[in-house]
Coordinates of all heavy atoms in Angstrom, one line a residue:
G1089 N 0.8 -1.2 0.0 CA 0.0 0.0 0.0 C 0.8 1.3 0.0 O 1.3 1.7 1.0
A1090 N 1.0 1.8 -1.2 CA 1.7 3.1 -1.3 C 0.8 4.3 -1.0 O -0.4 4.3 -1.4 CB 2.3 3.2 -2.7
L1091 N 1.4 5.3 -0.5 CA 0.7 6.6 -0.2 C 0.4 7.2 -1.6 O 1.3 7.5 -2.4 CB 1.5 7.5 0.6 CG 1.0 8.9 0.9 CD1 -0.3 8.8 1.7 CD2 2.0 9.8 1.6
L1092 N -0.8 7.5 -1.9 CA -1.2 8.2 -3.2 C -1.3 9.7 -3.0 O -0.9 10.4 -3.9 CB -2.6 7.7 -3.6 CG -2.7 6.2 -4.1 CD1 -4.1 5.9 -4.5 CD2 -1.8 6.0 -5.3
A1093 N -1.9 10.1 -1.9 CA -2.0 11.5 -1.6 C -2.3 11.7 -0.1 O -2.8 10.9 0.6 CB -3.2 12.1 -2.4
Q1094 N -1.9 12.9 0.3 CA -2.1 13.3 1.7 C -2.3 14.8 1.9 O -1.7 15.6 1.2 CB -0.9 12.9 2.6 CG -1.1 13.1 4.1 CD 0.0 12.5 4.9 OE1 -0.3 11.6 5.6 NE2 1.2 12.9 4.7
V1095 N -3.3 15.1 2.7 CA -3.7 16.5 2.9 C -3.7 16.8 4.4 O -4.2 16.0 5.2 CB -5.1 16.8 2.3 CG1 -5.5 18.3 2.6 CG2 -5.2 16.6 0.8
V1096 N -3.1 17.9 4.8 CA -3.1 18.3 6.2 C -4.2 19.4 6.3 O -4.2 20.4 5.6 CB -1.8 18.9 6.7 CG1 -1.9 19.4 8.1 CG2 -0.7 17.8 6.5
L1097 N -5.2 19.1 7.1 CA -6.3 20.0 7.2 C -6.0 21.2 8.1 O -5.4 21.1 9.1 CB -7.6 19.3 7.8 CG -8.0 18.1 6.9 CD1 -9.1 17.3 7.6 CD2 -8.5 18.6 5.5
T1098 N -6.4 22.4 7.7 CA -6.1 23.7 8.4 C -7.1 24.0 9.4 O -6.9 25.0 10.2 CB -5.9 24.8 7.4 OG1 -7.1 25.0 6.7 CG2 -4.7 24.6 6.5
R1099 N -8.3 23.4 9.4 CA -9.3 23.6 10.3 C -10.1 22.3 10.6 O -10.0 21.4 9.8 CB -10.3 24.7 9.8 CG -10.9 24.5 8.5 CD -11.7 25.6 8.0 NE -11.0 26.8 7.9 CZ -11.2 27.8 7.0 NH1 -12.0 27.6 6.1 NH2 -10.4 28.9 7.1
A1100 N -10.9 22.3 11.6 CA -11.7 21.2 12.0 C -12.8 20.9 10.9 O -13.4 21.9 10.5 CB -12.3 21.3 13.4
V1101 N -12.9 19.7 10.5 CA -13.9 19.3 9.5 C -14.5 18.0 9.8 O -13.9 17.1 10.4 CB -13.1 19.1 8.1 CG1 -14.1 18.7 7.0 CG2 -12.5 20.4 7.7
S1102 N -15.8 17.9 9.5 CA -16.6 16.7 9.7 C -17.0 16.2 8.3 O -17.6 16.9 7.5 CB -17.8 16.9 10.6 OG -18.5 15.7 10.8
F1103 N -16.8 14.9 8.1 CA -17.3 14.2 6.8 C -18.5 13.3 7.2 O -18.4 12.5 8.1 CB -16.2 13.4 6.2 CG -15.0 14.3 5.8 CD1 -13.9 14.3 6.6 CD2 -15.0 15.0 4.6 CE1 -12.8 15.1 6.2 CE2 -13.9 15.8 4.2 CZ -12.8 15.8 5.1
A1104 N -19.5 13.4 6.4 CA -20.7 12.6 6.7 C -20.5 11.1 6.6 O -19.5 10.7 5.9 CB -21.8 13.1 5.7
D1105 N -21.4 10.3 7.1 CA -21.4 8.9 7.0 C -21.2 8.5 5.6 O -21.9 9.1 4.7 CB -22.6 8.3 7.6 CG -22.6 6.8 7.7 OD1 -21.5 6.2 7.7 OD2 -23.7 6.2 7.6
E1106 N -20.4 7.5 5.3 CA -20.1 7.0 3.9 C -19.5 8.1 3.0 O -19.6 8.0 1.8 CB -21.3 6.4 3.3 CG -22.0 5.3 4.1 CD -21.2 4.1 4.4 OE1 -20.0 4.0 4.2 OE2 -21.8 3.1 4.9
F1107 N -19.0 9.2 3.7 CA -18.4 10.3 2.9 C -19.4 10.9 1.9 O -19.0 11.2 0.8 CB -17.1 9.9 2.2 CG -16.0 9.5 3.2 CD1 -15.6 8.2 3.3 CD2 -15.4 10.5 4.0 CE1 -14.6 7.8 4.1 CE2 -14.4 10.1 4.9 CZ -14.0 8.8 4.9
A1108 N -20.7 10.9 2.3 CA -21.7 11.4 1.5 C -21.3 12.7 0.8 O -20.8 13.6 1.5 CB -23.0 11.6 2.2
G1109 N -21.6 12.9 -0.5 CA -21.2 14.1 -1.2 C -19.9 14.0 -1.9 O -19.5 14.9 -2.6
A1110 N -19.1 13.0 -1.5 CA -17.7 12.9 -2.1 C -17.8 12.2 -3.5 O -18.8 11.5 -3.8 CB -16.8 12.0 -1.2
W1111 N -16.8 12.5 -4.3 CA -16.8 12.0 -5.7 C -15.4 11.4 -6.0 O -14.4 12.0 -5.5 CB -17.1 13.1 -6.7 CG -18.5 13.5 -6.7 CD1 -19.0 14.5 -5.9 CD2 -19.6 13.0 -7.4 NE1 -20.4 14.6 -6.1 CE2 -20.8 13.7 -7.0 CE3 -19.7 12.0 -8.3 CZ2 -22.0 13.4 -7.5 CZ3 -21.0 11.7 -8.8 CH2 -22.1 12.4 -8.4
A1112 N -15.3 10.3 -6.7 CA -14.1 9.8 -7.2 C -14.2 9.3 -8.6 O -15.2 8.7 -9.0 CB -13.7 8.6 -6.3
Y1113 N -13.2 9.7 -9.4 CA -13.3 9.4 -10.8 C -11.9 8.8 -11.3 O -10.9 9.4 -10.9 CB -13.6 10.6 -11.7 CG -13.5 10.4 -13.2 CD1 -14.6 9.8 -13.8 CD2 -12.4 10.8 -13.9 CE1 -14.5 9.5 -15.2 CE2 -12.4 10.6 -15.2 CZ -13.4 10.0 -15.9 OH -13.3 9.8 -17.2
A1114 N -11.9 7.8 -12.1 CA -10.7 7.2 -12.7 C -10.7 7.5 -14.2 O -11.6 7.0 -14.9 CB -10.6 5.7 -12.4
G1115 N -9.7 8.2 -14.7 CA -9.6 8.4 -16.1 C -9.3 7.1 -16.9 O -9.7 6.9 -18.0
V1116 N -8.6 6.2 -16.2 CA -8.3 4.8 -16.7 C -8.8 3.9 -15.7 O -8.3 3.8 -14.5 CB -6.8 4.6 -17.0 CG1 -6.6 3.2 -17.5 CG2 -6.3 5.7 -17.9
S1117 N -9.8 3.1 -16.0 CA -10.5 2.2 -15.0 C -9.6 1.0 -14.7 O -8.7 0.6 -15.4 CB -11.9 1.7 -15.6 OG -11.7 1.1 -16.8
A1118 N -10.0 0.3 -13.6 CA -9.2 -0.8 -13.1 C -9.6 -2.1 -13.9 O -10.7 -2.2 -14.3 CB -9.5 -1.0 -11.6
T1119 N -8.6 -3.0 -14.0 CA -8.9 -4.3 -14.6 C -9.6 -5.2 -13.7 O -10.2 -6.2 -14.1 CB -7.6 -4.9 -15.2 OG1 -6.7 -5.0 -14.1 CG2 -7.0 -4.1 -16.3
A1120 N -9.5 -5.0 -12.4 CA -10.1 -5.8 -11.4 C -10.6 -4.8 -10.3 O -10.1 -3.7 -10.3 CB -9.2 -6.9 -10.8
E1121 N -11.4 -5.2 -9.4 CA -11.8 -4.3 -8.3 C -10.6 -3.8 -7.6 O -9.7 -4.5 -7.2 CB -12.7 -5.0 -7.3 CG -13.2 -4.1 -6.2 CD -14.1 -4.8 -5.2 OE1 -13.6 -5.4 -4.3 OE2 -15.4 -4.7 -5.4
A1122 N -10.6 -2.5 -7.4 CA -9.5 -1.8 -6.7 C -10.0 -1.0 -5.5 O -11.0 -0.3 -5.6 CB -8.8 -0.8 -7.6
V1123 N -9.4 -1.2 -4.3 CA -9.8 -0.6 -3.1 C -8.7 0.3 -2.5 O -7.6 -0.2 -2.3 CB -10.2 -1.6 -2.0 CG1 -10.7 -0.9 -0.8 CG2 -11.3 -2.5 -2.6
L1124 N -9.0 1.6 -2.4 CA -8.1 2.5 -1.7 C -8.5 2.8 -0.3 O -9.7 2.9 0.0 CB -8.1 3.9 -2.5 CG -7.9 3.8 -4.0 CD1 -8.0 5.2 -4.6 CD2 -6.6 3.2 -4.4
D1125 N -7.6 2.8 0.6 CA -7.9 3.0 2.0 C -7.8 4.5 2.3 O -6.9 5.2 1.8 CB -6.9 2.3 2.9 CG -7.1 0.8 3.0 OD1 -8.2 0.4 2.8 OD2 -6.1 0.1 3.2
V1126 N -8.8 5.0 3.1 CA -8.8 6.4 3.5 C -8.3 6.4 5.0 O -8.9 5.6 5.8 CB -10.2 7.0 3.4 CG1 -10.2 8.5 3.9 CG2 -10.7 6.9 2.0
H1127 N -7.3 7.2 5.3 CA -6.7 7.2 6.7 C -6.8 8.6 7.3 O -6.8 9.6 6.6 CB -5.2 6.8 6.6 CG -5.0 5.4 6.4 ND1 -3.9 4.8 6.9 CD2 -5.6 4.4 5.7 CE1 -3.8 3.5 6.5 NE2 -4.9 3.3 5.8
R1128 N -7.0 8.6 8.6 CA -6.9 9.8 9.4 C -5.6 9.6 10.3 O -5.6 8.6 11.2 CB -8.1 10.0 10.3 CG -7.9 11.3 11.2 CD -9.1 11.6 12.1 NE -9.6 10.4 12.8 CZ -10.9 10.0 12.7 NH1 -11.8 10.6 12.0 NH2 -11.2 8.9 13.3
N1129 N -4.6 10.4 10.1 CA -3.4 10.3 11.0 C -2.8 8.9 11.0 O -2.4 8.4 12.1 CB -3.7 10.8 12.4 CG -4.1 12.3 12.4 OD1 -3.7 13.0 11.5 ND2 -5.0 12.6 13.3
G1130 N -2.9 8.2 9.9 CA -2.3 6.9 9.8 C -3.2 5.7 10.2 O -2.8 4.5 10.1
S1131 N -4.4 6.0 10.6 CA -5.3 4.9 10.9 C -6.5 4.8 9.9 O -7.0 5.9 9.5 CB -6.0 5.1 12.3 OG -4.9 5.1 13.3
P1132 N -6.8 3.6 9.4 CA -7.9 3.5 8.4 C -9.2 3.9 9.0 O -9.6 3.5 10.1 CB -7.8 2.1 8.0 CG -7.1 1.4 9.1 CD -6.3 2.4 9.8
I1133 N -10.0 4.7 8.2 CA -11.3 5.1 8.6 C -12.4 4.8 7.5 O -13.6 5.0 7.7 CB -11.4 6.6 9.0 CG1 -11.0 7.5 7.8 CG2 -10.6 6.9 10.2 CD1 -11.4 8.9 8.0
G1134 N -11.9 4.4 6.3 CA -12.8 4.1 5.2 C -12.1 3.7 4.0 O -10.9 3.4 4.0
T1135 N -12.9 3.5 2.9 CA -12.4 3.1 1.6 C -13.1 3.8 0.5 O -14.1 4.4 0.6 CB -12.7 1.6 1.4 OG1 -14.1 1.3 1.5 CG2 -11.9 0.7 2.5
I1136 N -12.4 3.7 -0.7 CA -12.9 4.1 -1.9 C -12.7 2.9 -2.9 O -11.6 2.5 -3.0 CB -12.2 5.4 -2.6 CG1 -12.2 6.5 -1.6 CG2 -12.9 5.7 -3.9 CD1 -11.3 7.7 -2.0
T1137 N -13.8 2.4 -3.4 CA -13.8 1.2 -4.2 C -14.1 1.5 -5.7 O -15.1 2.1 -5.9 CB -14.7 0.1 -3.7 OG1 -14.4 -0.2 -2.3 CG2 -14.6 -1.2 -4.5
F1138 N -13.3 1.1 -6.6 CA -13.5 1.1 -8.0 C -13.8 -0.3 -8.5 O -12.9 -1.1 -8.4 CB -12.3 1.7 -8.7 CG -12.0 3.2 -8.5 CD1 -11.2 3.6 -7.4 CD2 -12.6 4.2 -9.2 CE1 -11.0 4.9 -7.1 CE2 -12.4 5.5 -9.0 CZ -11.6 5.9 -7.9
G1139 N -15.0 -0.5 -9.0 CA -15.3 -1.8 -9.5 C -14.6 -2.1 -10.8 O -14.0 -1.2 -11.4
T1140 N -14.5 -3.4 -11.2 CA -13.9 -3.8 -12.4 C -14.5 -3.0 -13.6 O -15.7 -2.9 -13.8 CB -14.1 -5.3 -12.7 OG1 -13.6 -6.0 -11.6 CG2 -13.4 -5.7 -14.0
G1141 N -13.6 -2.2 -14.3 CA -14.0 -1.4 -15.4 C -14.8 -0.2 -15.1 O -15.2 0.6 -16.0
A1142 N -14.9 0.1 -13.8 CA -15.7 1.3 -13.4 C -14.9 2.6 -13.3 O -13.7 2.5 -12.9 CB -16.4 1.1 -12.1
S1143 N -15.4 3.7 -13.8 CA -14.7 4.9 -13.7 C -15.1 5.7 -12.4 O -14.3 6.6 -12.0 CB -14.9 5.8 -14.9 OG -16.2 6.1 -15.1
A1144 N -16.2 5.4 -11.8 CA -16.7 6.1 -10.6 C -16.4 5.2 -9.4 O -16.6 4.0 -9.4 CB -18.1 6.4 -10.7
G1145 N -15.9 5.9 -8.3 CA -15.6 5.2 -7.1 C -16.7 5.3 -6.1 O -17.5 6.2 -6.1
T1146 N -16.8 4.3 -5.2 CA -17.8 4.2 -4.2 C -17.2 4.4 -2.8 O -16.2 3.7 -2.5 CB -18.6 2.9 -4.2 OG1 -19.1 2.7 -5.5 CG2 -19.7 2.8 -3.2
F1147 N -17.7 5.2 -2.0 CA -17.1 5.6 -0.7 C -17.8 4.8 0.4 O -19.0 4.5 0.4 CB -17.2 7.1 -0.4 CG -16.4 7.9 -1.3 CD1 -16.7 8.2 -2.6 CD2 -15.2 8.5 -0.8 CE1 -15.9 9.0 -3.4 CE2 -14.4 9.3 -1.6 CZ -14.8 9.6 -2.9
A1148 N -17.0 4.4 1.5 CA -17.6 3.8 2.6 C -16.7 4.2 3.9 O -15.5 4.4 3.7 CB -17.5 2.3 2.5
T1149 N -17.4 4.4 5.0 CA -16.7 4.6 6.3 C -16.6 3.4 7.1 O -17.5 2.5 7.0 CB -17.4 5.8 7.1 OG1 -18.7 5.5 7.2 CG2 -17.2 7.1 6.4
S1150 N -15.6 3.2 7.9 CA -15.4 2.0 8.6 C -16.3 1.8 9.8 O -16.9 0.7 9.9 CB -13.9 1.9 9.1 OG -13.0 1.9 8.1
G1151 N -16.5 2.8 10.6 CA -17.3 2.6 11.8 C -18.7 3.1 11.7 O -19.4 3.0 12.7
G1152 N -19.1 3.6 10.6 CA -20.5 4.2 10.5 C -20.5 5.5 11.2 O -19.7 5.8 12.1
G1153 N -21.3 6.4 10.7 CA -21.4 7.8 11.3 C -20.3 8.7 10.6 O -19.5 8.3 9.8
A1154 N -20.4 9.9 11.1 CA -19.5 11.0 10.6 C -18.0 10.7 11.0 O -17.8 10.1 12.1 CB -19.9 12.3 11.1
E1155 N -17.1 11.2 10.3 CA -15.7 11.2 10.6 C -15.2 12.6 10.8 O -15.4 13.4 9.9 CB -14.9 10.5 9.5 CG -15.2 9.1 9.3 CD -14.7 8.2 10.5 OE1 -13.9 8.6 11.3 OE2 -15.2 7.0 10.5
T1156 N -14.7 12.9 12.0 CA -14.3 14.3 12.4 C -12.8 14.4 12.4 O -12.1 13.6 13.0 CB -14.9 14.7 13.7 OG1 -16.4 14.5 13.6 CG2 -14.6 16.1 14.1
F1157 N -12.3 15.5 11.8 CA -10.9 15.8 11.8 C -10.6 17.1 12.5 O -11.4 18.0 12.4 CB -10.4 15.9 10.4 CG -10.2 14.7 9.6 CD1 -11.3 13.9 9.2 CD2 -9.0 14.2 9.2 CE1 -11.2 12.7 8.5 CE2 -8.8 13.1 8.5 CZ -9.9 12.3 8.2
A1158 N -9.6 17.2 13.3 CA -9.2 18.4 14.0 C -8.2 19.2 13.0 O -7.6 18.6 12.2 CB -8.5 18.1 15.3
A1159 N -8.0 20.4 13.3 CA -7.0 21.2 12.5 C -5.7 20.5 12.8 O -5.3 20.1 13.9 CB -7.0 22.6 13.0
G1160 N -4.9 20.3 11.7 CA -3.6 19.6 11.8 C -3.7 18.1 11.5 O -2.6 17.5 11.3
D1161 N -4.9 17.5 11.5 CA -5.0 16.1 11.2 C -4.7 15.9 9.7 O -4.9 16.8 8.9 CB -6.4 15.6 11.5 CG -6.6 15.3 12.9 OD1 -5.7 15.4 13.7 OD2 -7.8 15.0 13.3
R1162 N -4.2 14.7 9.4 CA -3.9 14.3 8.0 C -4.9 13.3 7.5 O -5.3 12.3 8.1 CB -2.5 13.6 8.0 CG -1.4 14.5 8.5 CD 0.0 13.8 8.5 NE -0.1 12.4 8.9 CZ -0.1 12.0 10.2 NH1 -0.1 12.9 11.2 NH2 -0.1 10.7 10.5
L1163 N -5.4 13.6 6.3 CA -6.3 12.7 5.5 C -5.4 12.2 4.4 O -4.9 12.9 3.6 CB -7.5 13.5 4.9 CG -8.5 12.6 4.2 CD1 -9.9 13.2 4.3 CD2 -8.2 12.4 2.7
A1164 N -5.3 10.8 4.3 CA -4.4 10.2 3.4 C -5.1 9.1 2.6 O -6.1 8.5 3.1 CB -3.2 9.6 4.0
L1165 N -4.7 8.9 1.4 CA -5.2 7.8 0.5 C -4.1 6.8 0.3 O -3.0 7.2 -0.2 CB -5.7 8.4 -0.8 CG -6.8 9.4 -0.7 CD1 -7.2 9.9 -2.1 CD2 -8.1 8.8 -0.1
I1166 N -4.4 5.6 0.6 CA -3.4 4.5 0.5 C -3.8 3.5 -0.6 O -5.0 3.0 -0.5 CB -3.2 3.8 1.8 CG1 -2.9 4.8 3.0 CG2 -2.1 2.7 1.7 CD1 -1.7 5.6 2.8
N1167 N -3.0 3.2 -1.5 CA -3.3 2.3 -2.6 C -3.3 0.8 -2.0 O -2.6 0.5 -1.1 CB -2.3 2.4 -3.7 CG -2.8 1.9 -5.1 OD1 -3.9 1.3 -5.1 ND2 -2.1 2.1 -6.1
Q1168 N -4.0 -0.1 -2.7 CA -3.9 -1.5 -2.3 C -2.6 -2.1 -2.7 O -1.9 -1.5 -3.5 CB -5.1 -2.2 -2.9 CG -5.0 -2.4 -4.4 CD -6.2 -3.1 -5.0 OE1 -7.3 -3.1 -4.4 NE2 -6.1 -3.7 -6.2
D1169 N -2.3 -3.2 -2.1 CA -1.0 -3.9 -2.4 C -1.3 -5.3 -2.7 O -1.8 -6.1 -1.8 CB -0.1 -3.8 -1.2 CG 1.3 -4.3 -1.5 OD1 1.6 -4.5 -2.6 OD2 2.1 -4.5 -0.5
P1170 N -1.1 -5.8 -3.9 CA -0.5 -5.0 -5.0 C -1.5 -4.1 -5.7 O -2.7 -4.3 -5.6 CB -0.1 -6.1 -6.0 CG -1.1 -7.2 -5.8 CD -1.4 -7.2 -4.3
A1171 N -1.0 -3.0 -6.3 CA -1.8 -2.0 -6.9 C -2.4 -2.6 -8.2 O -1.8 -3.5 -8.9 CB -1.0 -0.8 -7.2
D1172 N -3.6 -2.2 -8.6 CA -4.1 -2.6 -9.9 C -3.2 -2.0 -11.0 O -2.7 -0.9 -10.9 CB -5.5 -2.0 -10.1 CG -6.2 -2.4 -11.4 OD1 -6.8 -3.5 -11.4 OD2 -6.1 -1.7 -12.4
A1173 N -3.0 -2.9 -12.0 CA -2.1 -2.5 -13.1 C -2.5 -1.4 -14.0 O -1.7 -0.7 -14.6 CB -1.8 -3.8 -14.0
T1174 N -3.8 -1.1 -14.0 CA -4.3 -0.1 -15.0 C -5.0 1.2 -14.3 O -5.0 2.2 -15.0 CB -5.3 -0.7 -16.0 OG1 -6.4 -1.2 -15.3 CG2 -4.6 -1.7 -16.9
L1175 N -5.5 1.1 -13.1 CA -6.2 2.2 -12.5 C -5.3 3.4 -12.5 O -4.1 3.4 -12.0 CB -6.6 1.8 -11.1 CG -7.4 2.9 -10.3 CD1 -8.7 3.1 -10.9 CD2 -7.5 2.5 -8.9
A1176 N -5.7 4.5 -13.1 CA -4.9 5.7 -13.2 C -5.7 6.9 -13.4 O -6.9 6.9 -13.6 CB -3.9 5.5 -14.4
D1177 N -5.0 8.1 -13.3 CA -5.6 9.4 -13.5 C -6.8 9.6 -12.6 O -7.9 10.0 -13.1 CB -6.0 9.6 -15.0 CG -4.8 9.5 -15.9 OD1 -3.7 9.8 -15.5 OD2 -5.0 9.1 -17.1
L1178 N -6.6 9.5 -11.3 CA -7.6 9.6 -10.3 C -7.9 11.1 -10.0 O -7.0 11.9 -9.8 CB -7.2 8.9 -9.0 CG -7.0 7.4 -9.2 CD1 -6.6 6.8 -7.8 CD2 -8.3 6.7 -9.7
S1179 N -9.2 11.4 -9.8 CA -9.6 12.7 -9.3 C -10.6 12.4 -8.2 O -11.5 11.6 -8.3 CB -10.4 13.5 -10.4 OG -9.6 13.7 -11.5
I1180 N -10.3 12.9 -7.0 CA -11.1 12.6 -5.8 C -11.4 13.9 -5.0 O -10.5 14.7 -4.8 CB -10.3 11.6 -4.9 CG1 -10.1 10.3 -5.6 CG2 -11.1 11.3 -3.6 CD1 -9.2 9.3 -4.9
T1181 N -12.6 14.1 -4.7 CA -13.1 15.2 -3.9 C -13.9 14.8 -2.7 O -14.8 14.0 -2.9 CB -13.9 16.2 -4.8 OG1 -13.1 16.6 -6.0 CG2 -14.3 17.4 -4.1
F1182 N -13.5 15.3 -1.6 CA -14.3 15.0 -0.4 C -15.2 16.2 0.0 O -14.7 17.4 -0.2 CB -13.4 14.7 0.8 CG -12.7 13.4 0.8 CD1 -11.5 13.2 0.1 CD2 -13.3 12.3 1.4 CE1 -10.9 12.0 0.0 CE2 -12.6 11.0 1.3 CZ -11.4 10.9 0.7
L1183 N -16.4 16.0 0.5 CA -17.2 17.1 0.9 C -17.2 17.1 2.4 O -17.7 16.1 3.0 CB -18.6 16.9 0.4 CG -19.7 17.9 0.8 CD1 -19.3 19.3 0.4 CD2 -21.1 17.5 0.4
G1184 N -16.8 18.1 3.0 CA -16.7 18.2 4.5 C -17.4 19.5 5.0 O -17.6 20.4 4.2
K1185 N -17.8 19.5 6.2 CA -18.4 20.6 6.9 C -17.5 21.1 8.0 O -17.1 20.3 8.8 CB -19.8 20.2 7.5 CG -20.5 21.2 8.2 CD -21.8 20.7 8.7 CE -22.6 21.8 9.4 NZ -23.8 21.3 10.0
R1186 N -17.2 22.4 8.0 CA -16.5 23.0 9.1 C -17.1 22.8 10.4 O -18.4 22.9 10.5 CB -16.3 24.5 8.8 CG -15.0 24.8 8.2 CD -14.9 26.2 7.8 NE -15.0 27.2 8.8 CZ -14.7 28.5 8.6 NH1 -14.4 28.9 7.4 NH2 -14.8 29.4 9.6
T1187 N -16.3 22.4 11.4 CA -16.9 22.2 12.7 C -16.3 23.2 13.7 O -15.4 23.8 13.5 CB -16.7 20.8 13.2 OG1 -15.3 20.5 13.2 CG2 -17.4 19.8 12.4

């Protein structure tokens, strides 16, 4: 699982259950189901799943309910291991509410 992206949040943010309102798009779809882990400060809190041949990702949270981040927390995306051979050109947007 390689780090794909990481953002340090500058203010407290809450993300809705199942990351409602978030979007994920793959310019090149996966040859098999691909699952990216979503982490807060190094701990997994959810996933983004791209189905076989799908360009849109599906979000899920691990524990159910909202996920809250404090200012300075890190939101990271971790690729599966081994990585899908074709999944590429990802665009991912999270929708959060300031808390």
Side-chain angles (χ1 to χ4, degrees):
L1091 177 66
L1092 291 176
Q1094 182 168 246
V1095 177
V1096 178
L1097 300 172
T1098 60
R1099 54 181 60 144
V1101 176
S1102 179
F1103 297 99
D1105 185 27
E1106 308 295 12
F1107 297 109
W1111 291 88
Y1113 175 79
V1116 180
S1117 59
T1119 54
E1121 182 179 85
V1123 180
L1124 309 179
D1125 288 331
V1126 180
H1127 285 211
R1128 176 182 47 236
N1129 298 328
S1131 297
I1133 60 166
T1135 58
I1136 305 169
T1137 302
F1138 291 89
T1140 303
S1143 59
T1146 303
F1147 290 77
T1149 51
S1150 298
E1155 294 292 342
T1156 302
F1157 285 67
D1161 281 352
R1162 299 175 323 277
L1163 183 148
L1165 300 176
I1166 310 296
N1167 203 354
Q1168 67 184 24
D1169 186 14
D1172 183 85
T1174 60
L1175 183 67
D1177 300 334
L1178 298 178
S1179 300
I1180 299 171
T1181 302
F1182 288 88
L1183 176 64
K1185 180 180 177 183
R1186 261 170 64 172
T1187 56

